[in-house]
Amino acid sequence: VFNAKTAELLSHHQVEIQQKFPKEGWVEQDPKEILKSVHECVERTCEKLQQLNIDITNIKAIGVSNQRETTVVWDKTTGEPLYNAIVWLDLRTQSTVERLLKRIPGKNKSFFKFRTGLPLSTYFSAVKLRWLLDNVEEIRQAVDDGRAMFGTIDSWLIWSLTGGKNGGVHCTDVTNASRTMLFNIHSLEWDPELCQFFDIPVEILPKVRSSSEIYGLMVCFLKSGALTGVPISGCLGDQSAALVGQMCFQDGQAKNTYGTGCFLLCNTGQKSVFSQHGLLTTIAYKLGRDKPVCYALEGSVAIAGAVVRWLRDNLGIVKTAQEVEKLAAEAGTSYGCYFVPAFSGLYAPYWEPSARGIICGLTQFTNKKHIAFAALEAVCFQTREILDAMNKDCGIPLNQLQVDGGMTNNKVLMQLQSDILCIPVVKPSMPETTALGAAMAAGAAEGVGIWSLNPGDLTAVTCERFEPQINPEESEFRYARWKKAVMKSMGWETSEAPSNGKTE
């Protein structure tokens, strides 16, 4: 909850959502658990407000932000999900992608790029939805019966929070729609030819709206009962929300968010710029029904914070994420050890699904501290690759990087990032800029009008700066070694090999 006048964070609550890995490369979440976590966060945040003597009837609007490509199909008559949500970095659709590529002239991954801004990849929602239609009988049946609804997590939440099976609103916003591969980013409509190519019935898709308008009213679920009738009036995919929360409203302003993955977005204003270097063209925001749409260039890294989670949950070399920072600080160097966390293949700028994670340059001297350092360094190198691509595409090199997201609390990581980029890294004192962006869009919506987005009215944010501390030659040397490691990670997985020794 933010103060609409000062953008000050008043109260918050967070819940970690469980990831399920039913098979190698599969990543799922339970849509009902996601909804329950939202209920819990709202409930607890309101309790905290009351403890601060803030009347919760002062809450004037609600914004939604979400991980963008995660795909859900649910039954509109029962309100129940028909399968777990398939998470954005899931890899099960590799064979679906290969099958679809065969139908494209010259097997060109970028065939739809000028319409969608995206290459054909396991990442985007259309192929996940295609997989669900091909593999889940309940979903096929629900589509045939006219009971199925598709959405990314924003759609599932807005529908559920505005009444669900009793009149819930089935919608999404342009930023989330632009990540499905079914949406024309110029006409701002679902594209009939793309729906035909993926063989997806357009009637199961949500209505596409701007990122800042009243979609519907919250149907109450609070013990305190005070949020009934509050408009849900902001909706932005997480990376767009962070761009808004960092107030990158001008051409050429960029931010990098360090979450599960890493996402660098550069605002390109009202023109869509198409990358020559493996970046995506995506919708940055459309802040009102009659406002212009703005575009961004985006570099996506699949594994950032997830590498820390992996060190904790899979390798067990730390008990908490915070310990990684401590181990890395003690090592002070990776001692020639390089980590390429290509657990879900490589995203930008390579788009190489055959890559897999590797740790190389190991010697008898290497210990867990060096691996922890190499893991953090990997996040920084991946960002550097994207920044290089962005500088080439934009022609104007960034002179500083604005950062946000949970991992930015790690000071070792932020210093490393500045060292590897050779430019200052600037972090706002309140890292939850994704939530702030969603709040700004909600508060500024027509009919709510309690938040001004005019640059002159925006409060300057206090920031922490990290300046480069190593010489550029050393930075270049380490970066070149890392790129050598990336080359070794590629071409590892072939789709012909039977998995686990048995065919599927």
Side-chain angles (χ1 to χ4, degrees), residues 214-485:
I214 295 176
Y215 312 110
L217 302 179
M218 178 79 114
V219 173
C220 174
F221 49 72
L222 276 191
K223 295 188 188 84
S224 48
L227 281 190
T228 306
V230 177
I232 298 179
S233 53
C235 179
L236 286 157
D238 49 4
Q239 304 314 323
S240 287
L243 194 72
V244 171
Q246 286 264 33
M247 308 189 199
C248 296
F249 292 127
Q250 268 137 23
D251 282 23
Q253 284 187 306
K255 67 88 207 165
N256 196 27
T257 299
Y258 298 76
T260 308
C262 230
F263 301 89
L264 182 57
L265 267 73
C266 180
N267 190 336
T268 62
Q270 292 177 40
K271 60 179 192 296
S272 46
V273 175
F274 289 93
S275 172
Q276 300 303 307
H277 303 96
L279 303 180
L280 308 176
T281 306
T282 200
I283 294 182
Y285 49 79
K286 179 178 172 14
L287 294 170
R289 228 175 291 194
D290 309 319
K291 295 283 196 299
V293 66
C294 287
Y295 296 91
L297 268 178
E298 170 172 346
S300 322
V301 168
I303 303 292
V307 74
V308 173
R309 218 180 199 186
W310 183 83
L311 292 175
R312 181 191 73 187
D313 299 346
N314 295 35
L315 280 198
I317 65 172
V318 290
K319 288 197 174 57
T320 66
Q322 289 70 33
E323 280 176 63
V324 173
E325 180 177 8
K326 195 166 147 289
L327 284 179
E330 285 169 15
T333 166
S334 71
Y335 207 81
C337 163
Y338 288 86
F339 192 155
V340 182
F343 301 153
S344 300
L346 289 165
Y347 281 20
Y350 302 102
W351 299 103
E352 192 40 80
S354 69
R356 284 298 174 271
I358 61 167
I359 301 176
C360 54
L362 300 173
T363 66
Q364 282 177 307
F365 182 74
T366 312
N367 61 33
K368 66 182 182 182
K369 293 176 186 175
H370 301 124
I371 290 172
F373 190 95
L376 295 185
E377 212 173 24
V379 174
C380 301
F381 286 134
Q382 291 182 102
T383 300
R384 163 84 193 258
E385 288 198 291
I386 287 173
L387 198 67
D388 285 358
M390 209 160 267
N391 287 338
K392 284 178 198 151
D393 280 326
C394 293
I396 316 159
L398 276 187
N399 53 12
Q400 62 170 38
L401 182 64
Q402 287 175 236
V403 301
D404 57 75
M407 280 190 98
T408 58
N409 293 325
N410 183 325
K411 287 189 163 41
V412 173
L413 178 72
M414 291 297 97
Q415 184 55 53
L416 256 179
Q417 187 65 86
S418 176
D419 289 346
I420 286 165
L421 297 179
C422 306
I423 56 173
V425 165
V426 180
K427 174 199 163 196
S429 51
M430 198 283 301
E432 298 301 334
T433 46
T434 302
L436 177 60
M440 288 164 70
E446 192 185 337
V448 178
I450 55 163
W451 202 304
S452 164
L453 297 179
N454 296 333
D457 298 334
L458 298 169
T459 358
V461 193
T462 52
C463 292
E464 191 176 351
R465 276 175 79 85
F466 295 86
E467 303 276 348
Q469 289 178 355
I470 63 172
N471 65 39
E473 293 76 42
E474 189 191 334
S475 177
E476 290 307 317
F477 173 77
R478 278 157 53 179
Y479 183 46
R481 292 286 289 270
W482 147 263
K483 288 191 88 120
K484 196 171 157 187

